[in-house]
Amino acid sequence: MSGKVIELTSGDGFRFNALHVPAKGARKGGLVLVQEIFGVNSYMIDACERFAAEGYEVLAPSMFDRQKKGFATDSHSDEAIAEGGGYARANGLENAMADIASCIAELEGPVFITGFCYGGSMAYIAACQLDGLSAASGYYGSLVPAFKGQSPNCPAIVHFGRNDPHIPMDGVEAFAAARADVPTYIYEAGHGFARQRSDDYNAEADALAFQRTLDLFNQAAADAGF
């Protein structure tokens, strides 16, 4: 791993950890990468390294430090899902947005955001509720359809798997219909299709979603004069 854990201060004074991975080569911008419910685990570290290799300085906040400092697991067992999901609910949106805002403030512009599952939801909500972002790309966020009434403050795209057992397609389609300003990409894949090395991984869907994300970020940076 090329990164290191640093400590940041949230708006309420709470100090939380974040994995910081420097950009490789010419820096294109900063990126807040928001975890799944399983913490900043090996899969999220892989994702940080992947974006860093494309020129992004990455911060991956440990989103549940208020509940359990440094929580991270590679397990997707029922017990792990229950534990991580419980932390997500206990943390709430206000704490999550405050911690993400601190990450945005820590990075020099342009600043982008992405995330997976829980993080995909947080990425889209942050694009709608926070300032300082140049673009957002959210992967299979189950809360995204419920926020179809909120407009992002920056260019945003979202990604879903058509065969995702956790996110009903009717909700995704309703979101797409309500938010013509947010390209909604649906892949012939299930949940977690971008999680490399896992049983859920779908290489074709992952490659396309990653390229669309990079294209969005690059265009937003150019539009912002970077």
Side-chain angles (χ1 to χ4, degrees):
M1 184 178 71
S2 64
K4 66 177 182 179
V5 175
I6 64 173
E7 192 174 63
L8 298 175
T9 303
S10 194
D12 61 356
F14 180 78
R15 298 187 68 82
F16 64 97
N17 289 338
L19 176 64
H20 174 248
V21 183
K24 309 298 191 298
R27 184 184 185 276
K28 297 178 181 177
L31 175 65
V32 183
L33 190 150
V34 191
Q35 64 181 55
E36 299 176 318
I37 61 170
F38 306 108
V40 185
N41 59 12
S42 71
Y43 297 108
M44 294 301 101
I45 293 171
D46 288 349
C48 290
E49 296 282 0
R50 187 184 190 190
F51 278 101
E54 296 291 337
Y56 294 93
E57 178 189 0
V58 185
L59 279 178
S62 184
M63 295 294 289
F64 304 153
D65 273 5
R66 288 177 176 80
Q67 288 70 46
K68 185 176 181 180
K69 194 80 170 182
F71 169 71
T73 176
D74 284 349
S75 172
H76 297 145
S77 66
D78 291 343
E79 292 77 13
I81 292 171
E83 183 176 9
Y87 295 153
R89 290 187 292 274
N91 197 45
L93 284 180
E94 184 175 352
N95 287 334
M97 291 300 107
D99 292 354
I100 291 171
S102 296
C103 291
I104 295 170
E106 182 73 12
L107 293 164
E108 293 184 5
V111 180
F112 309 98
I113 190 167
T114 192
F116 307 87
C117 187
Y118 166 80
S121 295
M122 296 304 104
Y124 182 74
I125 296 169
C128 296
Q129 298 186 359
L130 301 179
D131 296 323
L133 290 168
S134 293
S137 176
Y139 287 72
Y140 32 85
S142 63
L143 297 182
V144 170
F147 281 80
K148 63 180 181 292
Q150 294 197 19
S151 176
N153 298 317
C154 63
I157 59 175
V158 290
H159 314 271
F160 296 96
R162 189 180 304 279
N163 304 315
D164 191 330
H166 308 293
I167 305 177
M169 271 296 102
D170 57 350
V172 173
E173 291 166 355
F175 175 87
R179 293 249 61 94
D181 56 330
V182 180
T184 300
Y185 297 111
I186 300 174
Y187 304 83
E188 297 303 321
H191 195 78
F193 65 76
R195 190 194 300 123
Q196 298 186 359
R197 299 184 292 107
S198 77
D199 293 339
D200 301 315
Y201 181 59
N202 183 299
E204 182 178 359
D206 171 51
L208 184 54
F210 186 64
Q211 189 57 57
R212 285 168 167 164
T213 297
L214 293 179
D215 289 346
L216 173 75
F217 291 173
N218 291 338
Q219 184 62 56
D223 290 344
F226 291 92

